[in-house]
Structures are given as structure tokens and as C-alpha cells.
Amino acid sequence: MTRRDIAIAVLGAGSWGTALAIQAARNGHTVRLWGRDPAQMAAMAGARCNLRYIPDVPFPDGLSAMGDLEETVEGADAVLVAVPSYGFRATLEQIAPAIGPKTPVFWASKGLEPGTRKLLHEVAAESVGARPLGVVSGPTFAAEVAKGLPTAVTVASDDPLAAADFAACLHCNTFRTYTSGDVIGVELGGATKNVLAIAAGIADGLGFGANTRAALITRGLAELMRLGVRVGGQPETFMGLAGLGDLVLTCTDDQSRNRRLGLALGRGQPVAGAMAAIGQAVEGVKTAPEILALAQTYDIDMPITEQVCRVLTGEVAPQAAVEALLSREPKAEVG
């Protein structure tokens, strides 16, 4: 894969997939963007923008909206998947026969596979076989990327050359890409921060203030690092863009769907109603029980994640969940 004029198939025409497709096309690449709703994709093709999610950013000339998945990936030099984690395996299994045997597959999806607790690199290996695989993650809001506002992300792969090549496809003076070999750490950072953002939103929805928010972010990072290192991630990854960076962004800005869900829950709205009002996938809802189950498998204590799960299932009210965290026995901060 050369570094210019690459044919990239972006799968998933939500806000994040669209923003990444715009970014790649701006860099001079030929980009095909696929979404599962043919009528929506036809509307995008006609309007030359994503009318639903990013209506104020026109598509660059090299970006095409597609309604046929196999046609989208045919002949692609690289594939970038940005579908929700619960649709990740099905999407990859569908494209597997249509892509070249050495075509690299990267993903910007965040989460674990529901029911199996598998990280997405495990799902990808099972679905598309041996080929360069990697993940794109970091502190990003789609609308800001689409508008060309300064952003930095991590591109992680076990294949250093593939990571460097794909990072170069996205990199420009307003979109800085860093490479990493820690796929596990980058994936867990991106998945777990969504759960912790729900917790931060709940606390703010209850009116608990900036002190509480800072404590939740800090102790949430401790939870993330305990689990991440045990599963195989590198500690420094969790202090970087895909860990602390993404966690702070998602917990503190209302562009985050997970934070907005938490805010709604803290203000007394039911889960279903809050999710309907947001109108897009809220990954933390499905990820929370998978992260908790993974932690229990490794005997890792994750009290914030546990309370988020209890709130999402209706087992406890948001106020009671916060009280349960505050009533825990005092302990050393480190160790």
C-alpha cells in the first residue's frame, strides 16, 4: 500500500465513519463510504453531504456514498470499519469473500463483542483471517474532525508497516496520527471510556459538581489501567491519546453520546427514553456489562463500571449508585 492515492472503503456512515471518510478524501484518496440504509446513502450521494449527522460539511470530490457493500469494498486498497461493535462481526464476515487476501482492515469501532467479551481484533482475525489488522482511536468528536479542527489519534497494529501506511493516509496538518503496537490497550481504552463517561454524566446530571467529575475520571482511569494491564495492554497506552485523552474528552463534553445518556439518567429519565432522544448508538450501554464480565473473569475490581451496569439495568437509581461508591471502605490510592 503506497501512501498517496489509496482506494479506501469506509464501512459505516454514521457521524464517525463519515468524518473519517471526509478526512481521507481531503488527503487526496479515493474513498467509498457505505451505510446499511440504501435510501439514506442515495440521499447522501445526491446532497454530497451526510444530511443526518454532519449536514454542514460537504463531501470532497474523491468521496462517494455507496449503498452496496460488496461493490464498496471491491478493489479497495484498505478497509476502515466504523460500524457499532454489535454489528462488527457480521460486517466483516460479509466482506471477507470480496476483499483481497492481503488487504489491510482497520476499524474505528469501539467496544467489545456482545456475548463473547472478545476484543475487536480477535473478532477481526476470526472473520477476515490473516492480514494486516489495526485500530484507530483517540480523543475525537466526529463533527470537529469533519470541520478540519486540530485532532490527534492513535493507529495501532501488530504490523508496524501497516500502521504507518494507514496513519499516513489520514495524517495532515490538522489531523495528527501516532502509531502504536499495543492493539489491546488502544481497544480497551476506547471501549471502557464510554462506560466511564456514562458515570460522569450521571454525576453531573445529579448536580454533584466538578470535584465529583474529576474524582470519577481519575478513579475510572485506575479501573481502566487495572483491567487493561491484566488483559495485556501497556500502561503507557492508558496515559496516552487512546486512554486518558479519550477518557477526559468523553467525560467532559456534551458532544459525547455516552455522557449525554448519563446526564439524562441523572436527571431522572429512563434509559430507553434517553437513548431514543439521542438517536444514535450509545456504545457504553452494550459495552458496560461486557467490560464488567471481563473484569470478573480476571478478578479485577471495577466499582464504577459495576454501578453503571446496575443503573442501566434498573437495579439501582442513579443517586443510590453514587452513594454506594461513596460508602466504600477507605483504602490506599495506589497498590
Side-chain angles (χ1 to χ4, degrees):
M1 188 169 71
T2 58
R3 297 187 177 226
R4 299 301 300 171
D5 301 323
I6 302 302
I8 302 175
V10 179
L11 311 182
S15 56
W16 188 213
T18 300
L20 288 170
I22 290 171
Q23 174 61 27
R26 268 202 204 112
N27 275 2
H29 303 298
T30 301
V31 181
R32 304 175 200 148
L33 174 64
W34 170 85
R36 60 184 176 84
D37 184 341
Q40 181 185 0
M41 299 314 295
M44 282 190 203
R48 297 296 301 160
C49 70
N50 188 325
L51 291 167
R52 182 175 181 183
Y53 297 126
I54 313 177
D56 54 345
V57 180
F59 288 169
D61 290 341
L63 174 55
S64 302
M66 311 281 288
D68 184 284
L69 181 56
E70 292 186 4
E71 183 181 355
T72 302
V73 300
E74 184 179 0
D77 296 307
V79 176
L80 176 60
V81 183
V83 302
S85 58
Y86 55 80
F88 188 73
R89 183 185 293 272
T91 301
L92 291 189
E93 288 179 345
Q94 190 171 346
I95 68 170
I99 58 177
K102 296 184 179 180
T103 302
V105 174
F106 283 78
W107 53 92
S109 308
K110 295 180 179 180
L112 277 64
E113 183 176 49
T116 69
R117 300 190 297 277
K118 290 181 177 179
L119 296 174
L120 297 186
H121 76 273
E122 299 174 287
V123 178
E126 293 172 359
S127 302
V128 296
R131 66 179 65 243
L133 300 171
V135 56
V136 179
S137 189
T140 52
F141 287 131
E144 296 185 10
V145 171
K147 292 173 182 176
L149 298 180
T151 300
V153 301
T154 300
V155 178
S157 175
D158 291 335
D159 184 326
L161 181 59
D165 279 348
F166 197 74
C169 292
L170 298 173
H171 184 87
C172 71
N173 61 348
T174 60
F175 194 90
R176 186 167 181 82
T177 54
Y178 293 84
T179 58
S180 170
D182 185 12
V183 175
I184 291 175
V186 170
E187 286 184 318
L188 272 176
T192 307
K193 61 93 182 180
N194 285 330
V195 181
L196 299 171
I198 295 174
I202 288 173
D204 281 348
L206 288 166
F208 286 155
N211 291 352
T212 306
R213 186 188 317 120
L216 280 170
I217 292 171
T218 307
R219 295 312 302 164
L221 178 62
E223 289 192 12
L224 167 58
M225 293 186 71
R226 282 198 298 269
L227 177 64
V229 171
R230 182 63 187 276
V231 174
Q234 299 169 8
E236 55 268 29
T237 298
F238 304 115
M239 299 303 296
L241 291 168
L244 178 61
D246 207 1
L247 176 64
V248 170
L249 180 79
T250 312
C251 287
T252 59
D253 194 290
D254 290 352
Q255 291 180 75
S256 164
R257 298 191 294 268
N258 292 280
R259 173 177 162 79
R260 293 207 309 272
L261 175 69
L263 284 168
L265 299 179
R267 293 165 180 164
Q269 296 183 35
V271 174
M275 291 182 65
I278 292 170
Q280 297 184 61
V282 183
E283 283 281 11
V285 173
K286 291 185 180 292
T287 301
E290 305 301 333
I291 291 289
L292 183 60
L294 186 65
Q296 291 169 342
T297 299
Y298 285 94
D299 195 26
I300 299 295
D301 188 31
M302 298 188 73
I304 299 173
T305 301
E306 180 181 358
Q307 292 302 325
V308 169
C309 288
R310 297 180 73 195
V311 170
L312 292 174
T313 59
E315 182 181 345
V316 298
Q319 178 79 35
V322 175
E323 290 172 356
L325 290 171
L326 293 173
S327 65
R328 285 167 54 86
E329 289 294 321
K331 56 179 288 189
E333 182 178 14
V334 179

